[in-house]
Amino acid sequence: MTVQELPGAAPYRPTPPPAWKPRTDPAPLLPDPEPYRVLGTDAAAGFAPELLRRLYAELVRGRRYNTQATALTKQGRLAVYPSSTGQEACEVAAALVLEDRDWLFPSYRDTLAAVARGLDPVQALTLLRGDWHTGYDPHEHRVAPLCTPLATQLPHAVGLAHAARLKGDDVVALAMVGDGGTSEGDFHEALNFAAVWQAPVVFLVQNNGFAISVPLAKQTAAPSLAHKAVGYGMPGRLVDGNDAPAVHQVLSEAVARARRGGGPTLVEAVTYRIDAHTNADDATRYRGDGEVETWRAHDPIRLLEHELTERGLLDEDGVRQAAEDAETMAARLRERMNADAELDPMDLFAHVYAEQTAQLREQAAQLRAELDAEGDA
Amino acid sequence: MTVQELPGAAPYRPTPPPAWKPRTDPAPLLPDPEPYRVLGTDAAAGFAPELLRRLYAELVRGRRYNTQATALTKQGRLAVYPSSTGQEACEVAAALVLEDRDWLFPSYRDTLAAVARGLDPVQALTLLRGDWHTGYDPHEHRVAPLCTPLATQLPHAVGLAHAARLKGDDVVALAMVGDGGTSEGDFHEALNFAAVWQAPVVFLVQNNGFAISVPLAKQTAAPSLAHKAVGYGMPGRLVDGNDAPAVHQVLSEAVARARRGGGPTLVEAVTYRIDAHTNADDATRYRGDGEVETWRAHDPIRLLEHELTERGLLDEDGVRQAAEDAETMAARLRERMNADAELDPMDLFAHVYAEQTAQLREQAAQLRAELDAEGDA
Amino acid sequence: MTTVANAAAKPATKPATMAQALQRAMRDAMAEDPSVHVMGEDVGTLGGVFRVTDGLAKEFGEDRCTDTPLAEAGILGTAVGMAMYGLRPVVEMQFDAFAYPAFEQLLSHVAKMRNRTRGAMPLPIVVRVPYGGGIGGVEHHSDSSEAYYMATPGLHVVTPATVADAYGLLRAAIASDDPVVFLEPKRLYWSKAQWSPDAPDPVEPIGRAVVRRTGRSATLVTYGPSLPVCMEAAEAARAEGWDLEVVDLRSLVPFDDETVCASVRRTGRAVVVHESTGFGGPGGEIAARVTERCFHHLEAPVLRVAGFDIPYPPPMLERHHLPGVDRILDAVARLQWEAQS
Amino acid sequence: MTTVANAAAKPATKPATMAQALQRAMRDAMAEDPSVHVMGEDVGTLGGVFRVTDGLAKEFGEDRCTDTPLAEAGILGTAVGMAMYGLRPVVEMQFDAFAYPAFEQLLSHVAKMRNRTRGAMPLPIVVRVPYGGGIGGVEHHSDSSEAYYMATPGLHVVTPATVADAYGLLRAAIASDDPVVFLEPKRLYWSKAQWSPDAPDPVEPIGRAVVRRTGRSATLVTYGPSLPVCMEAAEAARAEGWDLEVVDLRSLVPFDDETVCASVRRTGRAVVVHESTGFGGPGGEIAARVTERCFHHLEAPVLRVAGFDIPYPPPMLERHHLPGVDRILDAVARLQWEAQS
Ligand SMILES: Cc1ncc(C[n+]2csc(CCOP(=O)(O)OP(=O)(O)O)c2C)c(N)n1
Ligand SMILES: Cc1ncc(C[n+]2csc(CCOP(=O)(O)OP(=O)(O)O)c2C)c(N)n1
Ligand SMILES: [Mg+2]
Ligand SMILES: [Mg+2]
């Protein structure tokens, strides 16, 4: 076929090109240029004192949980602990904005969010203690298994939210991921599916400045991680991750939007990992004390404490009360974690399949025999 | 540690939060709201007549190449052919904007771009004829193997461009991908690496409306695919993919930017796949004739022909000349493809490793013996 | 895991292709159970590139049979989330090699979720993978990837070789509370058999091999695309005086040691036949476990006829790669008949 | 493929860990050949989570030892492009299970590029994968993924078990013009040996197994993390009157049939030992090919001692999963000694 043979070719009169219309309006999708803040601004006055006090109490508990868990690694009671010290505002807000029927999809760093949602801390720490993988029934508190392969839990959150919507349930999923995790292909695929399906899901990126040793500048050249939302056609929000009411507000709005059928939102919370990556990491290899100190000054608890104190919503008694509550929780956790986990090696074969295969039955019998022989010896 | 024990805690005076600065300015990264067009606008006057004539000749050849290759599938001379009819402006421009030392990374649909870059069409079609996988030495014309697993060639382009830059060579890589391919994780990872490394690479997305049967609306909710650039911190450009000089200009600018160290660009060319996905596909299952007709009216060849004719740069002789050239090319291709490929089954073992393993030597000997036995029988 | 088909009054059979039987299995499962969802690339409007999901979107709506964005990890990953919420996703991977981007999700989540959660979060997902060669596909369209799946505890790996099994095994896979990788032999999609969609043959639960042809001289152990080749070889072997038994595994995981070993103990000789590459392929496991269990019944080592240890060849050369009748007979001839006791 | 180390005047040896030997191998390769680039997550400033790349970024600059964005397919995919342009990338995957997102790139490109292009585009890439358990790692940190790599033609698959081999094999891998999956046994990273970094033992080209201990009763065939266990088992076996030979494969692909079969023919009995799951694991292939080649020398079937067919256990239970001395001796005891001729 040559040009001339094109159907209806000559004489050719150009018609207007096929209509182009953007699928979504990019402008309202663009995140604010600065992280949204509440504390120290006029917006703070709009928050109910109960919410602020609740946040404060949870932050204090959260910090204590982090220090306690870290201490447990030193005592050999945890195999490893990735601390969220400095990130408690994100962890706590993520838990508090959800309804009971909603689902939380934590990453391996987010045991605190799971605990703030109501999970037994000992169960939340099972993975890191090493007696089993997921230490809880995910359906009980609607907390998905703590996820170690980075960003791989994001498509799960999308699928679950999508399924709930198909079933007519007004359930929202909130999925947590780190700045490093945003580089993974699964992040991209999850956000794209969510936007195409208009799934009721909220993605919370805790940008804590590092992926282990790799700083954000080596992770992305984007204006902000929230700007990634534009490429999926969903709103992106940028928030100060150490400002608990701000995080709470932004996430609440995103959850509400998702619940009313408005689709997914990407939230970037700018925060900082005060501790090393895990107790096994040596952060001095890749960052200076100065940076850490700057962020310590922007501590989520102090920020909120200052606001509450200034406004007369918190006095010395209140501070002491919060600290004591946290101490009680920590003592309880320490005590329970000091008890040896009860282990049955035969569990290794119990849950691989709904029904044990003949091969696994054979192998279980082998181990049973070995254990019996050991016992006899 | 309780709040009070935070180093240097009381009295706490809030300091300004740690500095926030966007890594790149999002505003200039945002693509134009409408696809950029040259034909039918004043911009057309700025183009050298030689370039426009060259583009025209290549488009006509390209169309003829497409129809010829499709015909070869009917004659059983090609196993399969994914036609780029209607997309010739993108294919041709992608080839023409590159210098000899640059690299082209085509997808499986882009044999035309490879041919326009100088590759022997028979070699370009080897994969689709089925006598070998890649039918050419990629180093000869700096054309990477035609890539079938979608978007997987994009990180290759980034790595090659990065390597060239590390070696001090001012080489640019241009990688081609479809609208469907942008949903793959590899697309995301490639663009992110490119932006972080400021690699001299240009990503050309041919948005032809469909991934086989799946329309763009089920593929993305983004304002445009070009908007995805924002999330990586690179410029995104939106261009009418049937407007050859427009595509040529946008790609040239992106290549120049990459070459002078300005980093990667994402270009979305809005076009349309006039034929079915491949000769094996039945497009009537998922789209109506009306849509196809609208796009036929916006045919890249006609658009350019009209412009050239109006401006007196092309007369009937010129049209005939282009058609005849194309016909000669097609006749030659037909003839050469009608010759049976020469095949040596022993090649199966020749290139798996630099040195054949003992196991492959054994297996080659087995096949040799079988073939000899066949020959004897 | 439940057995799904039950023998009713048997209406007359008529010819059906394997693709039709698979379609019918999904259709019937979707009609019976609203939690069954089909998803993948081009499965909706188009009905799949092999038309295996033809008509499902029309009958059940796009929410039950969904054209997804083009991203395999995303497809399987969202299916995991859907299964967490109680759905039973049936995922189509368009071709074998295009399942690779989903391996992370498959290996680290799909296979492990039940175990990680002590059974609290089973994932009843079926991953349908058209596999194998023989259809003249260009590169990446003809891989035999079963070894990867077999090496991943927590998955069931199933592959039909007949029209009736295509229906029965897919129904069983969808009914299974565990994830099943369901390997569909591409080149058998258009194979036909007399079959009644209205009274499909009862199918046993996943995990049972079947003797397709009894014989006394040696056992051919095979599955999926290689079954018809083995049946043909067994026919041809008669001329050489060999009476071959043919075992169709149907399920690679769990593996039916009982049926396979019973056959090999009877015949004393065995050849494993598959398209997948030999080295590191399924045949090694099969030969090893048969030998472990039947050593003193073996007159000769268990041999393997497999694809060569090379990337899958281009269309024009694939016939040299694929196990054919002659290569099988050559292997049978090497079973040390001179040593016959 | 070239042999890289040459015996010079031998300076005194001193104790070194496997991690140090690996570091030294990269360092020496980078110093000799400017096209060698190390890349991965945390390999630069931090020196890798196992410190195997410690100091390389400092010595050679961030362009030669690069902290990449966090995306395994992207890392391997860009390495492919770099190799296309003549570099020799050495890629680190942080842990075994985190290599899975890169499988698509590995299976469809890295393994196939040379073949696809008739040798025009070889990819001299080394993919370093810390693998295996025994270090108390939580889930996804202790997988033995070698079966996946073995089933993929076009890859070399290598794993050192000693400090000297760690250096020699990694040098050979980097020097190889083909892609090499280099499996580093995590739990041997801190194992020590007397070794001289200045005159490393000459190493043979990739593909040669080595007899680590001679013996007459039976052969233990093993590799990587299981070698020390097998050596211990062989010591312990003396008390039972068994004199065990131990073969360290070093290279799973290409496989050294010659060395392995020579040993098994001598001893007449064999046990394959590895951490990877048994079903579908490397042992099946090894047992099958040894049996094919040595059938009439075998007094008993080749047995396998492997990890169970389960997802890798949590830290507190891993000792029950890993092949230990007792389990190896049990297997040796089942080698039908009563049938001894
Ligand atoms: C797929 C995958 N690759 C690599 C790792 C190893 N790894 C664990 S944490 C981590 C850094 C994560 O950084 P980020 O996403 O920012 O989360 P953060 O640790 O800061 O909370 C890496 C590389 C992993 N867990 N999963
Ligand atoms: C990883 C992968 N998944 C699936 C396929 C099968 N497939 C081939 S082409 C195609 C559609 C591609 O659409 P698009 O990217 O828009 O390119 P186009 O065909 O329109 O040029 C699909 C799904 C593939 N080749 N690779
Ligand atoms: Mg981080
Ligand atoms: Mg398209």
Side-chain angles (χ1 to χ4, degrees):
Chain A
M1 184 164 63
T2 63
V3 189
Q4 290 84 342
E5 295 160 17
L6 274 169
Y12 174 66
R13 321 217 85 273
T15 51
W20 168 263
K21 56 171 188 336
R23 279 165 295 282
T24 39
D25 179 0
L29 299 177
L30 275 179
D32 298 336
E34 281 271 323
Y36 176 68
R37 294 195 172 95
V38 163
L39 296 175
T41 78
D42 295 343
F47 280 74
E50 301 71 51
L51 174 61
L52 296 178
R53 286 208 203 91
R54 172 85 200 278
L55 283 169
Y56 177 73
E58 290 290 347
L59 290 186
V60 173
R61 280 170 68 89
R63 173 67 47 84
R64 191 63 191 83
Y65 168 84
N66 270 319
T67 54
Q68 184 56 58
T70 300
L72 285 166
T73 61
K74 301 206 175 97
Q75 293 143 24
R77 284 295 172 180
L78 280 181
V80 63
Y81 184 68
S83 161
S84 59
T85 292
Q87 304 177 219
E88 290 90 348
C90 298
E91 298 283 323
V92 161
L96 296 196
V97 295
L98 296 180
E99 299 293 331
D100 236 35
R101 62 185 178 287
D102 295 334
W103 274 77
L104 181 74
F105 284 79
S107 87
Y108 68 100
R109 192 178 296 289
D110 307 313
T111 54
L112 174 54
V115 169
R117 183 157 166 76
L119 211 72
D120 174 357
V122 172
Q123 290 187 0
L125 290 170
T126 298
L127 171 74
L128 304 167
R129 176 157 73 171
D131 45 310
W132 198 256
H133 309 292
T134 302
Y136 49 90
D137 177 347
H139 292 286
E140 205 181 315
H141 291 276
R142 284 148 310 281
V143 176
L146 296 160
C147 187
T148 300
L150 298 166
T152 58
Q153 77 279 24
L154 305 183
H156 305 171
V158 175
L160 182 136
H162 179 60
R165 209 176 60 120
L166 290 179
K167 286 195 175 188
D169 302 345
D170 73 334
V171 162
V172 173
L174 190 154
M176 304 175 75
V177 68
D179 47 310
T182 65
S183 296
E184 290 280 5
D186 275 16
F187 171 87
H188 176 68
E189 301 187 10
L191 268 75
N192 189 45
F193 273 68
V196 169
W197 286 348
Q198 287 291 290
V201 56
V202 177
F203 301 98
L204 169 59
V205 178
Q206 285 188 66
N207 171 4
N208 64 4
F210 288 90
I212 308 186
S213 70
V214 180
L216 193 65
K218 289 189 189 172
Q219 200 67 248
T220 180
S224 80
L225 296 171
H227 276 85
K228 291 184 181 287
V230 179
Y232 305 102
M234 69 173 78
R237 302 289 308 270
L238 188 60
V239 62
D240 183 331
N242 288 14
D243 183 330
V247 182
H248 189 276
Q249 182 189 335
V250 168
L251 289 179
S252 294
E253 287 167 8
V255 167
R257 180 190 173 97
R259 203 181 306 283
R260 66 167 181 267
T265 302
L266 173 65
V267 177
E268 173 184 1
V270 183
T271 180
Y272 196 80
R273 197 192 70 212
I274 294 293
D275 290 340
H277 171 65
T278 68
N279 53 298
D281 178 40
D282 174 7
T284 63
R285 283 191 162 236
Y286 52 82
R287 68 184 188 187
D289 287 346
E291 187 179 286
V292 182
E293 285 317 311
T294 312
W295 279 94
R296 272 192 199 278
H298 195 59
D299 184 79
I301 306 185
R302 287 196 201 181
L303 284 177
L304 185 55
E305 195 174 276
H306 181 76
E307 181 85 29
L308 288 168
T309 319
E310 293 279 291
R311 286 173 56 193
L313 297 172
L314 185 73
D315 56 13
E316 266 187 30
D317 251 23
V319 171
R320 193 176 330 108
Q321 184 63 49
E324 275 171 16
D325 280 0
E327 212 45 57
T328 313
M329 175 277 301
R332 183 102 213 289
L333 176 58
R334 193 166 51 229
E335 188 188 327
R336 292 181 61 208
M337 292 296 288
N338 276 329
D340 284 335
E342 282 194 22
L343 293 172
D344 180 358
M346 301 317 290
D347 282 358
L348 291 178
F349 307 97
H351 308 294
V352 183
Y353 297 103
E355 270 176 61
Q356 228 167 46
T357 61
Q359 288 77 21
L360 286 182
R361 274 196 303 275
E362 267 176 36
Q363 293 172 26
Q366 181 194 339
L367 179 58
R368 175 83 283 154
E370 288 177 5
L371 293 170
D372 289 349
E374 255 182 49
D376 291 350
Chain B
M1 184 165 64
T2 64
V3 189
Q4 289 86 343
E5 293 160 16
L6 275 168
Y12 173 66
R13 318 216 90 272
T15 51
W20 168 264
K21 56 172 190 332
R23 277 165 298 279
T24 38
D25 180 0
L29 299 178
L30 275 179
D32 297 335
E34 281 272 325
Y36 176 68
R37 295 196 171 92
V38 162
L39 296 175
T41 78
D42 296 344
F47 280 75
E50 300 72 50
L51 174 60
L52 295 179
R53 283 208 204 90
R54 171 87 200 278
L55 282 169
Y56 177 74
E58 290 290 346
L59 290 186
V60 174
R61 280 170 67 89
R63 173 67 47 84
R64 190 63 190 87
Y65 169 83
N66 270 321
T67 54
Q68 183 57 58
T70 301
L72 286 166
T73 62
K74 302 207 176 96
Q75 292 142 24
R77 285 295 172 180
L78 280 180
V80 64
Y81 184 68
S83 159
S84 58
T85 291
Q87 305 178 216
E88 290 91 349
C90 298
E91 299 285 322
V92 161
L96 296 198
V97 295
L98 296 180
E99 300 291 333
D100 236 34
R101 63 187 178 284
D102 295 335
W103 274 77
L104 180 74
F105 284 78
S107 87
Y108 68 101
R109 191 177 297 289
D110 307 312
T111 54
L112 174 53
V115 168
R117 183 156 165 77
L119 211 72
D120 174 356
V122 172
Q123 291 187 358
L125 290 170
T126 298
L127 171 74
L128 303 167
R129 176 158 73 170
D131 45 311
W132 198 256
H133 309 293
T134 301
Y136 49 91
D137 176 348
H139 292 285
E140 204 181 316
H141 291 276
R142 282 147 315 277
V143 175
L146 296 161
C147 186
T148 300
L150 297 166
T152 58
Q153 77 278 25
L154 305 184
H156 306 171
V158 176
L160 182 136
H162 178 60
R165 207 175 61 121
L166 290 180
K167 287 198 175 185
D169 302 344
D170 73 335
V171 162
V172 173
L174 190 153
M176 305 175 75
V177 67
D179 48 310
T182 65
S183 296
E184 289 281 4
D186 276 16
F187 171 86
H188 176 68
E189 300 188 9
L191 269 75
N192 189 46
F193 273 69
V196 169
W197 287 349
Q198 288 291 291
V201 56
V202 176
F203 302 99
L204 169 59
V205 178
Q206 285 187 66
N207 170 4
N208 64 4
F210 288 90
I212 309 186
S213 70
V214 180
L216 193 64
K218 290 189 189 174
Q219 200 67 249
T220 181
S224 79
L225 296 171
H227 277 84
K228 290 184 182 288
V230 178
Y232 304 102
M234 70 174 76
R237 301 288 309 269
L238 188 60
V239 62
D240 183 332
N242 288 14
D243 183 329
V247 182
H248 190 277
Q249 181 190 335
V250 167
L251 288 179
S252 294
E253 287 167 9
V255 167
R257 180 190 173 97
R259 202 180 309 280
R260 68 168 181 266
T265 303
L266 173 65
V267 177
E268 173 185 0
V270 183
T271 179
Y272 196 80
R273 198 192 70 213
I274 295 292
D275 289 340
H277 170 65
T278 67
N279 52 299
D281 177 40
D282 173 7
T284 62
R285 284 192 161 235
Y286 53 81
R287 67 183 190 188
D289 287 346
E291 187 178 284
V292 182
E293 284 317 311
T294 313
W295 279 94
R296 273 193 199 277
H298 194 58
D299 183 82
I301 305 184
R302 285 197 202 180
L303 284 177
L304 185 55
E305 195 173 276
H306 181 76
E307 181 87 30
L308 287 169
T309 316
E310 292 280 289
R311 285 172 58 192
L313 296 173
L314 185 74
D315 56 13
E316 264 187 35
D317 251 22
V319 171
R320 192 177 330 106
Q321 183 63 49
E324 273 170 18
D325 280 1
E327 212 46 56
T328 312
M329 175 277 300
R332 184 109 208 289
L333 176 57
R334 196 168 47 230
E335 188 188 328
R336 291 180 61 209
M337 292 295 286
N338 275 330
D340 284 335
E342 280 194 24
L343 293 172
D344 181 358
M346 302 317 290
D347 283 358
L348 291 177
F349 306 97
H351 308 294
V352 184
Y353 296 103
E355 270 176 60
Q356 227 167 46
T357 61
Q359 287 77 19
L360 285 182
R361 274 196 303 276
E362 267 176 37
Q363 293 172 26
Q366 181 195 338
L367 179 59
R368 175 83 284 155
E370 288 177 6
L371 293 170
D372 290 349
E374 255 182 49
D376 292 350
Chain C
M1 201 160 56
T2 28
T3 324
V4 283
N6 37 23
K10 242 186 175 170
T13 61
K14 53 180 185 176
T17 64
M18 184 180 283
Q20 286 165 336
L22 292 166
Q23 191 274 1
R24 182 62 187 251
M26 282 183 276
R27 195 197 153 277
D28 290 355
M30 290 173 88
E32 269 175 33
D33 180 352
S35 66
V36 176
H37 283 244
V38 170
M39 56 197 287
E41 295 157 7
D42 303 289
V43 297
T45 312
L46 186 66
V49 294
F50 293 106
R51 303 293 184 268
V52 176
T53 57
D54 198 20
L56 299 180
K58 204 158 188 189
E59 183 169 352
F60 299 99
E62 292 200 6
D63 282 346
R64 295 284 303 284
C65 178
T66 309
D67 282 331
T68 62
L70 209 168
E72 293 75 12
I75 296 168
L76 191 53
T78 52
V80 168
M82 290 163 71
M84 285 174 158
Y85 203 78
L87 301 186
R88 303 182 90 85
V90 180
V91 162
E92 175 173 307
M93 295 285 153
Q94 201 160 80
F95 282 87
D96 26 60
F98 307 145
Y100 301 156
F103 268 22
E104 154 79 8
Q105 286 290 342
L106 190 76
L107 274 43
S108 289
H109 290 296
V110 176
K112 292 183 174 141
M113 193 66 83
R114 171 186 288 277
N115 186 65
R116 290 165 82 192
T117 60
R118 290 185 183 274
M121 196 162 244
L123 293 181
I125 297 176
V126 178
V127 185
R128 293 180 40 241
V129 185
Y131 82 119
I135 61 156
V138 300
E139 56 172 359
H140 312 294
H141 287 78
S142 298
D143 284 14
S144 291
S145 36
E146 53 268 38
Y148 304 125
Y149 304 118
M150 286 174 69
T152 308
L155 302 176
H156 289 302
V157 185
V158 166
T159 181
T162 67
V163 173
D165 271 5
Y167 181 89
L169 287 173
L170 186 50
R171 289 301 305 270
I174 296 173
S176 168
D177 285 336
D178 284 320
V180 178
V181 174
F182 193 86
L183 298 166
E184 302 176 358
K186 267 183 237 108
R187 61 162 144 155
L188 299 185
Y189 270 145
W190 315 120
S191 66
K192 275 199 177 150
Q194 286 299 121
W195 177 71
S196 164
D198 298 314
D201 283 1
V203 71
E204 294 175 271
I206 286 173
R208 304 295 301 171
V210 63
V211 176
R212 293 286 180 200
R213 184 188 199 283
T214 53
R216 287 162 306 109
S217 322
T219 303
L220 301 182
V221 182
T222 191
Y223 57 87
S226 297
L227 176 67
V229 189
C230 286
M231 295 300 278
E232 209 185 311
E235 264 324 296
R238 291 171 56 181
E240 317 276 333
W242 295 311
D243 179 20
L244 300 184
E245 181 145 315
V246 179
V247 177
D248 173 5
L249 292 172
R250 304 203 286 195
S251 165
L252 297 172
V253 184
F255 191 87
D256 186 352
D257 285 311
E258 210 179 298
T259 303
V260 176
C261 291
S263 171
V264 176
R265 287 198 193 103
R266 253 188 329 264
T267 62
R269 290 178 171 83
V271 178
V272 186
V273 182
H274 59 59
E275 278 188 24
S276 168
T277 53
F279 191 88
E285 176 61 43
I286 299 169
R289 58 193 306 114
V290 166
T291 307
E292 280 159 11
R293 285 160 179 74
C294 313
F295 187 68
H296 291 292
H297 296 83
L298 286 175
E299 307 286 341
V302 177
L303 296 183
R304 294 180 280 170
V305 177
F308 294 122
D309 300 335
I310 60 174
Y312 197 85
M316 288 188 182
L317 292 172
E318 69 179 339
R319 69 183 182 87
H320 299 292
H321 176 70
L322 294 171
V325 169
D326 287 347
R327 212 169 275 162
I328 295 170
L329 294 182
D330 283 352
V332 171
R334 283 186 287 118
L335 289 174
Q336 311 189 353
W337 300 97
E338 62 291 352
Q340 190 141 20
S341 48
Chain D
M1 199 160 55
T2 26
T3 324
V4 282
N6 36 24
K10 245 192 172 164
T13 61
K14 54 180 186 177
T17 63
M18 183 180 284
Q20 286 165 337
L22 292 167
Q23 191 273 2
R24 181 63 187 249
M26 282 183 276
R27 196 197 153 277
D28 291 354
M30 290 172 87
E32 269 177 33
D33 180 351
S35 67
V36 176
H37 284 245
V38 170
M39 56 198 287
E41 296 157 7
D42 302 289
V43 298
T45 312
L46 186 67
V49 294
F50 293 106
R51 304 291 186 268
V52 175
T53 56
D54 197 20
L56 299 180
K58 205 161 188 184
E59 182 169 352
F60 298 101
E62 292 200 6
D63 281 346
R64 296 283 305 282
C65 178
T66 309
D67 281 332
T68 62
L70 209 169
E72 292 76 11
I75 296 169
L76 191 54
T78 51
V80 168
M82 289 163 71
M84 284 175 159
Y85 203 78
L87 301 187
R88 302 181 91 83
V90 180
V91 162
E92 175 174 307
M93 294 286 153
Q94 201 160 77
F95 283 87
D96 26 59
F98 307 144
Y100 301 157
F103 268 22
E104 154 80 9
Q105 285 290 340
L106 190 75
L107 274 44
S108 289
H109 290 296
V110 176
K112 293 183 174 141
M113 193 67 82
R114 172 187 286 278
N115 186 65
R116 290 165 80 193
T117 59
R118 289 185 184 274
M121 195 162 246
L123 293 181
I125 298 176
V126 178
V127 185
R128 294 180 39 242
V129 185
Y131 83 118
I135 60 156
V138 300
E139 56 173 0
H140 312 294
H141 287 78
S142 298
D143 283 13
S144 291
S145 35
E146 54 269 38
Y148 303 124
Y149 304 118
M150 285 174 68
T152 308
L155 301 177
H156 289 300
V157 184
V158 166
T159 181
T162 67
V163 172
D165 270 5
Y167 180 90
L169 287 173
L170 186 49
R171 290 300 306 270
I174 296 173
S176 168
D177 284 336
D178 283 321
V180 179
V181 175
F182 193 87
L183 299 166
E184 302 176 359
K186 269 183 234 106
R187 58 161 147 158
L188 298 185
Y189 271 145
W190 316 122
S191 67
K192 275 197 176 150
Q194 287 298 122
W195 177 70
S196 165
D198 297 314
D201 283 0
V203 72
E204 294 177 88
I206 287 174
R208 305 296 300 172
V210 61
V211 176
R212 293 286 180 199
R213 185 188 199 282
T214 54
R216 286 163 307 106
S217 321
T219 304
L220 301 182
V221 182
T222 192
Y223 57 87
S226 298
L227 177 66
V229 189
C230 285
M231 294 300 278
E232 211 186 307
E235 265 322 298
R238 292 171 53 183
E240 316 274 334
W242 295 313
D243 178 21
L244 301 184
E245 180 144 315
V246 179
V247 177
D248 173 3
L249 293 172
R250 303 202 288 194
S251 165
L252 296 172
V253 183
F255 191 87
D256 186 353
D257 285 311
E258 210 178 299
T259 303
V260 176
C261 290
S263 171
V264 176
R265 286 196 192 104
R266 256 191 324 267
T267 62
R269 288 177 172 83
V271 178
V272 186
V273 181
H274 60 59
E275 278 189 24
S276 169
T277 54
F279 191 88
E285 176 61 44
I286 298 168
R289 58 192 307 115
V290 166
T291 307
E292 280 160 10
R293 285 161 179 75
C294 313
F295 187 68
H296 291 292
H297 296 83
L298 286 174
E299 306 287 340
V302 177
L303 296 183
R304 294 179 280 170
V305 177
F308 295 122
D309 300 335
I310 60 174
Y312 196 85
M316 288 188 183
L317 292 172
E318 69 179 339
R319 70 183 181 87
H320 299 294
H321 177 70
L322 294 171
V325 168
D326 287 347
R327 213 170 273 162
I328 295 171
L329 294 182
D330 283 354
V332 172
R334 283 185 288 117
L335 288 175
Q336 312 188 353
W337 299 97
E338 62 291 352
Q340 191 139 20
S341 48

